[in-house]
């Protein structure tokens, strides 16, 4: 990690000329096609890598600045420029990919770069074509519109206005009347935006379907799996995995919901109770954002020398943007700057235990980027999405032994975190099956989509459906409208559930042998994306969630762990 790096706020704001970038790439395509021998072709590839790293650095900077301040006119204009011109850039990049694949020196390039990179190139060519540039621009603009509208949602509550993230502390208050009042205000505000969200999504489904048809695919699902670089598993494998979740995990989650009602002293849960676990309140991390960062410093100092160094590096260079603010996009993410060789962490702290979840989660993403930063072949630095989520979700559990730095009652947090992580699996596959249905039925009406979502909730999370009674917004099947991934990153959600199972595998192993578990985790991080998901997991000695019996063997022991926390005493 380059210690001379400037703090983030001092980085120059650059809007690259993408037309000139396309001309540069065109020249590199010509150089690749005319390369006289293998070493020359390899040198051209390296030049292209260095050039695209610089472009991606600038484009990522624009994206981050805009997500921090969606109301900033300069950033908004730059983001719009990127939305409108990046598809053209992608088309030129595809020409270079074609030149690599068709190079007469391919044998030499495969020897030096590995065969897997050419599998990546093949998927890349299958995922984009210049004939869908118009649709790609429209898709970008619609996603930006959705994010901007969502960031503009304001909830009026007790004489003040809050964004969606800031309402979290009221929605999980230990005072039930506060939760109920906050819930009514929250869903009333969302209800006023639902038609706008439905309209944007309808346009997204149709433009994505046009893309797929233009490229010769039967549906967008086929194109999406290629876009997501799912090299070693299929929709059929995913469907079988979802069935396992329904069979194994939904009954456990249903029992956990009953236990939740019992712990709250209730006969049954209402929608405003779903985020609350105990009569005396959820675990709340101590202190301010600065206090939480200082607590995390202690955790990562004790966990390993690498995590100690890297977390301090992030703090010292102002690479974490943690608090919720007006005009800031919702959610949390990590993104990486290849030239600066560092990531940033984006989140929306709201004073709940979710602050700890997102900090440890996004640090897991960031730590993987740090561990793999010196992989020379840029395509191998970051793995596919489900593999990326293994680093983040597993880091949440590696941090658990140190939760006393955040909480007065750390076992209370551990119970909630584990219970919520188990219950997340049925929700995660609800999102996935919904998207498979949507793109198999692209002409469905908004009402039909909402009805399908409700049907899937009955299948996977029936305990939530019962709780929705009396909340018109949720009863009508609108929950999915604020799930960013469905709009912005289609099919990116099953990834979280697969990674959650891997995180549980790490958790089970860590409780038995920390040194062994951490060694496997470090190996996984350092491998980056040199292999597809299943191969990566197998290479560190873990089991693929797709294998029969793995889900049951991994999740069922966690029920005993939950009991051992003795939640009745909290």
């Amino acid at each position: 990690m380059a210690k001379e790096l400037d703090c983030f706020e001092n980085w120059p704001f650059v809007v690259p000329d993408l037309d000139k970038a396309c001309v540069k790439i065109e020249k590199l395509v010509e150089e690749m096609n005319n390369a006289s021998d293998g070493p020359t072709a390899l040198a051209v590839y390296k030049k292209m890598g260095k050039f695209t790293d610089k472009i991606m650095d600038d484009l990522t900077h624009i994206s981050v600045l805009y997500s921090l301040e969606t109301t900033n006119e300069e950033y908004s204009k730059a983001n719009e420029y990127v939305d409108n011109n990046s598809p053209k850039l992608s088309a030129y990049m595809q020409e270079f990919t074609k030149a690599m694949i068709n190079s007469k020196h391919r044998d030499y390039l495969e020897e030096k770069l590995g065969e897997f990179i050419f599998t990546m190139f093949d998927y890349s060519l299958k995922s984009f074509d210049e004939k869908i540039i118009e649709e790609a621009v429209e898709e970008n603009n619609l996603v930006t519109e959705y994010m901007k509208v969502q960031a503009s949602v304001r909830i009026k509550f007790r004489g003040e206005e809050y964004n969606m993230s800031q309402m979290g502390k009221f929605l999980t208050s230990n005072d039930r009347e506060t939760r109920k009042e906050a819930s009514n205000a929250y869903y009333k505000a969302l209800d006023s935006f639902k038609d706008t969200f439905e309209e944007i999504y309808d346009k997204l489904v149709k433009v994505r379907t046009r893309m797929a048809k233009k490229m010769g695919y039967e549906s967008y699902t086929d194109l999406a799996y290629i876009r997501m670089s799912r090299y070693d598993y299929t929709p059929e494998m995913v469907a079988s995995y979802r069935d396992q979740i329904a069979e194994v995990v939904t009954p456990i989650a249903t029992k956990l919901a009953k236990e939740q009602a019992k712990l709250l002293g209730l006969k049954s849960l209402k929608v405003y109770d779903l985020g609350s676990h105990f009569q005396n309140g959820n675990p709340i991390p101590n202190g301010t954002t600065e206090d939480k960062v200082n607590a995390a410093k202690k955790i990562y100092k004790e966990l390993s020398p690498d995590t100690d160094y890297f977390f301090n590096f992030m703090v010292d260079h102002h690479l974490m943007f943690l608090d919720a603010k007006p005009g800031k996009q919702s959610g949390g993410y990590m993104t990486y700057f290849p030239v600066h060789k560092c990531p940033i962490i984006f989140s929306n702290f709201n004073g709940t235990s979710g602050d700890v979840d997102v900090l440890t989660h996004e640090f897991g993403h960031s730590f993987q980027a740090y561990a793999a930063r010196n992989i020379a072949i840029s395509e191998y630095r970051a793995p596919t999405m489900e593999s990326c989520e293994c680093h983040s979700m597993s880091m949440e559990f590696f941090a658990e032994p140190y939760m006393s730095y955040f909480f007065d009652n750390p076992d209370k947090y551990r119970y909630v975190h584990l219970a919520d992580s188990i219950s997340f699996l049925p929700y995660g596959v609800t999102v996935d099956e919904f998207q498979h249905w949507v793109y198999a039925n692209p002409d469905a009406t908004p009402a039909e989509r909402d009805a399908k979502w409700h049907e899937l909730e009955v299948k996977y999370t029936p305990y939530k459906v019962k709780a929705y009674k009396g909340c018109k917004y949720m009863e009508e099947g609108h929950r999915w409208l604020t799930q960013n991934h469905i709009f912005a990153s289609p099919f990116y959600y099953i990834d979280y559930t697969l990674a959650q199972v891997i995180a549980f595998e790490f958790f089970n192993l860590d409780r038995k042998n920390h040194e062994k578990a951490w060694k496997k985790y470090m190996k996984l991080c350092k491998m980056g994306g040199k292999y597809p998901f299943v191969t990566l997991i197998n290479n560190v000695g873990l089991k693929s969630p797709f294998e029969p019996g793995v889900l049951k063997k991994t999740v069922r022991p966690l029920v005993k762990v939950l009991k051992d926390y003795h939640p009745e005493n909290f």
Side-chain angles (χ1 to χ4, degrees):
M1 194 64 67
K3 290 189 177 181
E4 68 276 7
L5 181 74
D6 266 348
C7 292
F8 182 86
E9 63 272 19
N10 296 327
W11 295 6
F13 176 62
V14 176
V15 181
D17 187 326
L18 296 185
D19 286 332
K20 287 184 178 179
C22 290
V23 172
K24 172 70 173 177
I25 294 171
E26 194 172 33
K27 289 179 180 176
L28 290 170
V29 169
E30 186 178 351
E31 286 185 38
M32 178 59 71
N33 288 333
N34 295 331
S36 57
D37 53 31
T40 303
L42 182 62
V44 176
Y45 163 78
K46 289 179 179 178
K47 273 200 289 185
M48 177 65 174
K50 189 174 182 180
F51 178 71
T52 52
D53 274 355
K54 177 63 171 71
I55 291 291
M56 292 313 299
D57 222 68
D58 290 339
L59 298 187
T60 301
H61 193 206
I62 291 169
S63 175
V64 170
L65 291 172
Y66 175 69
S67 69
L68 290 168
E69 297 181 59
T70 61
T71 56
N72 182 295
E73 189 174 339
E74 184 180 24
Y75 300 157
S76 181
K77 185 177 179 181
N79 193 69
E80 182 180 359
Y81 170 76
V82 174
D83 280 351
N84 290 330
N85 290 278
S86 58
K88 179 183 175 184
L89 180 70
S90 296
Y92 276 83
M93 288 180 172
Q94 291 288 62
E95 291 303 311
F96 187 84
T97 299
K98 290 177 187 176
M100 286 285 290
I101 286 177
N102 297 322
S103 172
K104 54 183 177 286
H105 309 296
R106 177 166 169 170
D107 288 346
Y108 179 87
L109 293 171
E110 283 191 6
E111 178 188 340
K112 297 297 182 182
L113 302 174
E115 292 183 10
F116 184 43
I117 196 171
F118 284 90
T119 301
M120 293 180 176
F121 289 157
D122 183 50
Y123 267 58
S124 176
L125 291 181
K126 291 177 180 177
S127 69
F128 190 81
D129 190 281
E130 61 181 6
K131 60 190 172 189
I132 64 165
I133 287 179
E134 183 179 339
E135 285 80 7
V137 170
E138 184 179 349
E139 180 186 29
N140 285 346
N141 288 332
L142 285 167
V143 169
T144 296
E145 182 184 356
Y146 170 75
M147 293 297 193
K148 194 165 188 175
V149 171
Q150 196 184 56
S152 73
V153 174
R154 293 288 179 273
I155 298 102
K156 294 181 180 179
F157 180 66
R158 294 181 175 176
E160 301 289 341
E161 280 193 353
Y162 301 93
N163 64 22
M164 291 167 61
S165 297
Q166 290 169 325
M167 285 297 292
K169 60 186 176 183
F170 304 116
L171 293 168
T172 58
S173 169
N174 62 327
D175 177 63
R176 200 176 189 215
E177 282 304 310
T178 297
R179 296 200 303 270
K180 183 178 180 180
E181 186 183 341
S183 177
N184 289 337
Y186 184 81
Y187 291 116
K188 180 181 178 182
L190 290 186
D191 193 65
S192 67
F193 283 88
K194 72 177 187 297
D195 291 341
T196 302
F197 289 147
E198 298 264 22
E199 182 182 353
I200 293 171
Y201 190 65
D202 191 65
K203 291 177 181 177
L204 277 168
V205 171
K206 287 178 169 54
V207 73
R208 286 168 177 156
T209 299
R210 287 203 308 274
M211 279 183 186
K213 297 289 186 183
K214 271 192 175 184
M215 294 187 68
Y217 296 105
E218 185 175 340
S219 75
Y220 179 73
T221 303
D222 299 324
L223 176 57
Y225 267 63
I226 291 170
R227 275 182 156 190
M228 295 296 294
S229 300
R230 292 178 177 167
Y231 303 109
D232 52 3
Y233 62 95
T234 64
E236 292 74 25
M237 292 169 68
V238 170
S240 177
Y241 167 74
R242 290 197 306 260
D243 289 342
Q244 289 184 66
I245 297 287
E247 177 188 349
V248 176
V249 186
T250 291
I252 295 174
T254 301
K255 289 179 182 177
L256 288 175
K258 290 179 180 177
E259 176 71 10
Q260 183 179 353
K262 183 179 177 182
L263 292 170
L264 287 168
L266 304 171
K267 290 183 179 180
S268 61
L269 299 172
K270 293 292 187 183
V271 67
Y272 45 85
D273 300 316
L274 290 172
S276 186
H277 288 270
F278 305 102
Q279 291 186 60
N280 62 357
N282 284 355
I284 301 295
N286 295 319
T288 63
T289 295
E290 184 180 358
D291 293 328
K292 292 166 193 170
V293 169
N294 287 332
K297 280 185 179 183
K298 294 176 184 177
I299 289 174
Y300 291 118
K301 182 178 179 61
E302 292 190 28
L303 184 58
S304 80
D306 282 316
T307 52
D308 177 29
Y309 166 74
F310 179 60
F311 192 83
N312 279 288
F313 177 90
M314 295 284 287
V315 173
D316 293 343
H317 291 85
H318 305 172
L319 299 173
M320 296 191 290
F321 306 92
L322 304 177
D323 288 315
K325 295 178 181 179
K328 186 179 180 182
Q329 282 183 358
S330 62
Y333 67 79
M334 181 284 292
T335 193
Y336 184 70
F337 292 86
V339 174
H340 290 86
K341 282 193 173 185
C342 70
I344 64 99
I345 289 176
F346 174 102
S347 71
N348 282 275
F349 277 14
N350 59 10
T352 69
S353 62
D355 296 351
V356 176
D357 296 340
V358 74
L359 182 56
T360 55
H361 180 99
E362 299 304 340
F363 181 69
H365 281 307
S366 301
F367 185 69
Q368 185 278 321
Y370 158 75
R373 69 197 182 284
N374 290 324
I375 294 177
I377 300 169
S378 60
E379 289 84 354
Y380 290 159
R381 287 182 206 135
T384 48
M385 295 300 189
E386 68 290 289
S387 301
C388 284
E389 296 304 339
C390 292
H391 312 121
S392 56
M393 301 182 100
S394 299
M395 180 62 83
E396 294 178 38
F397 285 99
F398 277 114
E400 275 205 355
Y402 310 97
M403 284 298 119
S404 59
Y405 289 126
F406 283 118
F407 300 95
D408 292 332
N409 188 338
D411 274 354
K412 191 177 186 181
Y413 169 80
R414 293 179 186 116
Y415 175 85
V416 172
H417 181 238
L418 183 55
D420 283 351
S421 297
I422 294 169
S423 298
F424 165 74
L425 292 175
Y427 173 74
V429 295
T430 302
V431 173
D432 184 70
E433 187 166 340
F434 176 70
Q435 293 187 93
H436 277 84
W437 182 87
V438 163
Y439 289 104
N441 300 274
D443 295 321
T445 64
E448 288 170 334
R449 291 189 192 114
D450 294 335
K452 184 64 181 181
W453 176 266
H454 178 75
E455 176 191 321
L456 292 172
E457 285 188 306
V458 171
K459 175 181 177 181
Y460 290 112
T461 56
Y463 49 92
K464 287 187 178 180
V465 175
K466 290 180 182 178
Y468 293 160
K469 189 174 182 181
C471 179
K472 183 171 177 285
Y473 181 88
M474 297 295 268
E475 281 188 288
E476 291 180 349
H478 299 311
R479 165 65 184 90
W480 64 275
L481 291 173
T482 50
Q483 186 60 64
N484 292 3
H485 304 74
I486 292 175
F487 286 76
S489 307
F491 288 89
Y492 181 6
Y493 216 73
I494 197 70
D495 314 71
Y496 289 112
T497 75
L498 294 168
Q500 188 68 80
V501 177
I502 298 301
F504 288 153
E505 288 190 52
F506 272 121
F507 178 62
N508 289 332
L509 179 59
D510 193 45
R511 292 173 68 245
K512 296 175 183 176
N513 188 326
H514 172 70
E515 288 73 19
K516 187 175 181 180
W518 184 250
K519 186 176 180 181
K520 286 177 181 288
Y521 180 77
M522 284 297 299
K523 182 179 179 181
L524 182 66
C525 289
K526 288 179 178 179
M527 278 196 294
K530 292 180 179 179
Y531 308 98
F533 171 63
V534 174
T535 307
L536 272 175
I537 296 309
N538 290 338
N539 280 353
V540 296
L542 299 178
K543 298 289 186 182
S544 164
F546 296 117
E547 291 183 30
V550 167
L551 189 70
K552 184 184 295 185
K553 184 179 179 181
T554 304
V555 175
R556 285 194 171 170
L558 302 176
V559 176
K560 184 179 184 305
V561 177
L562 286 171
K563 289 180 180 177
D564 289 344
Y565 288 133
H566 298 290
E568 67 278 3
N569 296 331
F570 296 150

